Amino acid sequence: MSDEKVLRFVLGDQLSRDISSLYEAQPGRDVVFMAEVMGEATSVRHHKKKIAFVFSAMRHFADDLRREGFVVDYVQLDADGNPGDFGSALAAAVERNGVGRVVITEPSELRVLEAAETWREELGVDFDILADDRFLASHEDFVSWATTDSGAQPKSLRMEYFYREMRRSTGYLMKDGAPVGGQWNYDQDNRKSLPESVSIPVRPEFKPDSITQEVMALVSSRFGDHFGDIEPFDYPVTRTDALAYLDWFIADALPGFGDWQDAMKQGEPLLFHSHLSTLINCGLLGPSECCDRAETAYREGEVPLNAVEGFIRQIIGWREFVRGVYWLKMPDYAGANALAAKRALPGFFWTGETAMNCMSQAICETRSNAYAHHIQRLMVIGNFCLLAGIDPRQVQEWFLIVYSDAYEWVEMPNVVGMALFADGGFVASKPYAASGAYINKMSDYCASCAFDVKQKSGEKACPFNYLYWNFLSENEQVLRKNHRMGLIMGSLGKMSKDRLKEVRDDSGRFLESQQMRGWDNGPPG
Ligand code: FAD
Ligand code: DLZ
Ligand code: SF4
C-alpha cells in the first residue's frame, strides 16, 4: 500500500461516506478537503435555507470524518484568506498540505466538472476524477440504453422504458423476471384527490444544534438579501438524523404516498411526500438505501404496492433518467426553447403576491420551506410558466434558486423537458398543459381564490382557463404535429372565431397586466 498522502476533495453534494473519492481513504495518511466558497453560494442566489442546509450538513460531515480519525482541512466561508472559489481554495490546500495527488468524485454539474478539468490541467499534481457511483445507472449505461443500434442519438426518450430496464437490472419489485403484481406501473391508482377525512402524517422536526445555529447566523448576515426564509429551520443535517427521518417516512408517510401523490391541499405543503430529495441529492442518504427500505416495508406487508412502486419509480426511474438526459444533452440543453417563449418571469414569483391562489400557495410555501412537491412544481408553477410563455432560461434560474434540492443536473431536465416542453418533446410525449379544472380536481385551492375556476372568460375567470387555449392557439403549428395532442387540437380547430377572440383578448389583458411585470434587475432579495 502506498504511503503517499492524498488530498480528497469532497463537494457539498457529496456528503456520503460511501463516495468514490473516499473509497481508498486512510485516516492516518490522507487529508479530506472541504470548502465553503462565495462563488458557489452565489453561482445563483440560492434560497437562504438551501445555503444553511448545505453548509451545516458539510460541517457535520466533516466532524463525522474527524471522529473517524481523518484530518479534515475545512475552509469556512468567513475564514481569513478564503479565496472565494473552488479552484483557488484547492490550489491553496494542495500547497498547505504538501500533497502530490488530489482525488475528487466527478462533480454533478457540467459547470463544476469543467472547472475540475482545468484544475487537473493547472495544479501540477496527479489528479483523479472518479465516477459518481451513487447513481444506479452509470453514464455508459444510460448512453447505451439511449442510443440506437447505429449509435445515433434518438429524437425522444421515454422514462417508462428506461424504468423497466432499471427494474430488471436492480431487481426492485421483480419476481421470476416479471414485475411484482403483474404491472410495471400503478400510476393510474395514484391520482386520487384528497378527502377531508384523511389525516396528514405529522413530521419529525430536527431542532438546529449549535453548528446549524452558527450557520444560520452566517447566512442571515452574508446572504440576507437572498430569496426565502431562514426560520424556522428543521431539516435533518446529519447522517444519523437523515436515517431517523427515513425511518419515519417509511413507517408513517409511504403507505399513503401512492394514493395522494398528485393531491394538493391549502396549507399542507408535504402531504405524503417524502421530502427526501434534499437529503439524497447532497449525499446524506443513498438512493438505493431508500428503495431498499421501501421494498422491505412492502414485503413485510406494511405498504401497498401502488405506494412502493410509485416511490421506487421516482427514484430509480425519474431521478436516474433526468440525470442521464442532462449529461446526454448538455451543453445545448440549457438553451433549449422549442416554443420560442420569451416573456420575462413575473415579479410575483419572488413575492407570492398574486390573486391566483394556487400560485400564491405554491410560491409562498416555496419561500418558507425551500420546498414544493412535484405536482405544485409541475402542474401549478411549471404549467403557469408554460401557458404564459415564460423564457425557459429565467424559469430554470428561478427553480435552481428556490428549492433546497436544486442542482442543475436534476432541475434542468425537469424544467426544460417536463414543465416547459422546451426540448420539443425529447423527454415528455406532450406538454403538461392544463386548465384550472385540473388544479380544481386535485386541490382545494380554487375554493379560496379570487378567480372563479368555472368561468371561462372575463375578469373573474380563472386565468389558467383562457391561457390554456391561448397557449394551444399560439403554438398550433408545433402542437398539431404531436399525435397525442390530436383530440385537443381538434377541439381548438372547432372553436368559433368569436370564442377564440375572447380567449385572446382575456389572455392579452392578463399577460399585459401590472402583475405580470418582470423585475428589471434580475432576482430581487
Ligand atoms: P417525492 O414525491 O417524495 O419523491 C420521492 C423521490 O423521488 C424524491 O425525493 C426524488 O429523489 C425522486 N424524484 C421524484 N420525482 C423526480 C423527478 N421528476 N426528477 C428527479 N427525481 C425525482 N427534483 C430535485 O431533486 N431537484 C430539483 O431541482 C427539481 N426541480 C424540479 C423542477 C420542476 C419544474 C419539476 C416539475 C420537478 C422538479 N424536481 C426536482 C422533481 C421533483 O419535483 C422533486 O424531486 C420532488 O418534488 C422532491 O420532493 P420529495 O422528496 O418530497 O419527492
Ligand atoms: C449548493 C452549494 C453551496 C450553496 N455552497 C457550496 C460550497 O460552498 N461548497 C461546496 O463544496 N459545495 C457547495 N454547494 C454544493 C455545490 O454547488 C455542488 O457540489 C456542485 O454544484 C456540484 O457540481
Ligand atoms: Fe388557481 Fe384558477 Fe383555481 Fe384560482 S381558480 S386557484 S387561479 S386554478
Side-chain angles (χ1 to χ4, degrees), residues 451-463:
F451 294 106
D452 182 351
V453 72
K454 300 274 184 243
Q455 289 190 37
K456 307 281 177 240
S457 63
E459 300 261 350
K460 280 289 280 179
C462 165

Side-chain angles (χ1 to χ4, degrees), residues 105-331:
T105 293
E106 172 194 86
S108 65
E109 301 178 332
L110 182 62
R111 170 182 64 85
V112 187
L113 176 64
E114 286 178 346
E117 280 159 355
T118 66
W119 310 331
R120 179 165 58 188
E121 297 293 305
E122 290 166 5
L123 272 178
V125 292
D126 291 340
F127 196 109
D128 296 332
I129 303 177
L130 305 178
D132 189 348
D133 54 15
R134 291 173 302 165
F135 288 91
L136 289 97
S138 67
H139 294 312
E140 295 74 26
D141 292 339
F142 191 83
V143 169
S144 102
W145 171 78
T147 42
T148 59
D149 290 343
S150 64
Q153 281 234 355
K155 290 209 173 65
S156 64
L157 293 176
R158 292 294 166 257
M159 192 287 296
E160 182 61 29
Y161 299 114
F162 171 75
Y163 167 57
R164 292 179 193 179
E165 280 310 305
M166 293 298 286
R167 287 276 293 278
R168 289 192 187 97
S169 65
T170 59
Y172 283 122
L173 299 178
M174 297 294 287
K175 189 162 187 274
D176 303 329
V180 169
Q183 278 173 230
W184 290 104
N185 180 319
Y186 291 85
D187 223 11
Q188 78 279 4
D189 298 337
N190 293 0
R191 297 188 186 129
K192 299 184 183 76
S193 47
L194 191 75
E196 277 295 326
S197 56
V198 172
S199 45
I200 315 293
V202 181
R203 271 157 217 266
E205 289 171 8
F206 296 87
K207 275 204 157 102
D209 65 3
S210 58
I211 295 180
T212 303
Q213 283 172 19
E214 197 176 301
V215 162
M216 288 168 71
L218 174 77
V219 170
S220 299
S221 79
R222 301 294 293 277
F223 307 101
D225 60 349
H226 282 210
F227 175 76
D229 302 338
I230 185 92
E231 307 246 23
F233 187 98
D234 62 1
Y235 283 41
V237 290
T238 63
R239 167 83 178 149
T240 307
D241 284 353
L243 284 170
Y245 182 73
L246 177 61
D247 283 347
W248 172 84
F249 169 71
I250 300 285
D252 285 27
L254 182 59
F257 177 87
D259 285 357
W260 325 118
Q261 201 181 336
D262 286 5
M264 297 175 279
K265 187 173 164 66
Q266 181 101 5
E268 289 288 353
L270 280 143
L271 300 172
F272 294 84
H273 289 273
S274 69
H275 205 330
L276 285 172
S277 50
T278 304
L279 306 179
I280 302 175
N281 293 352
C282 85
L284 287 185
L285 293 174
S288 309
E289 72 186 326
C290 296
C291 295
D292 291 347
R293 293 293 314 279
E295 181 167 26
T296 303
Y298 164 71
R299 296 209 187 266
E300 288 173 353
E302 312 275 331
V303 176
L305 183 55
N306 68 313
V308 73
E309 186 283 315
F311 178 72
I312 288 181
R313 172 158 33 88
Q314 305 311 313
I315 294 187
I316 69 167
W318 279 112
R319 185 172 188 273
E320 297 283 329
F321 178 76
V322 298
R323 191 239 188 182
V325 167
Y326 175 77
W327 287 104
L328 193 70
K329 300 296 274 182
M330 278 299 272

Side-chain angles (χ1 to χ4, degrees), residues 473-493:
S473 157
E474 290 209 328
N475 295 289
E476 194 172 355
Q477 300 289 345
V478 179
L479 300 182
R480 273 214 184 281
K481 294 182 203 141
N482 185 315
H483 72 278
R484 289 203 63 206
M485 297 295 285
L487 210 61
I488 199 72
M489 295 314 282
S491 301
L492 178 73

Side-chain angles (χ1 to χ4, degrees), residues 12-32:
D13 63 350
Q14 299 181 337
L15 308 180
S16 317
R17 191 56 190 83
D18 198 16
I19 185 116
S20 52
S21 56
L22 296 180
Y23 282 168
E24 293 177 2
Q26 287 186 33
R29 184 194 66 181
D30 296 340
V31 177
V32 177

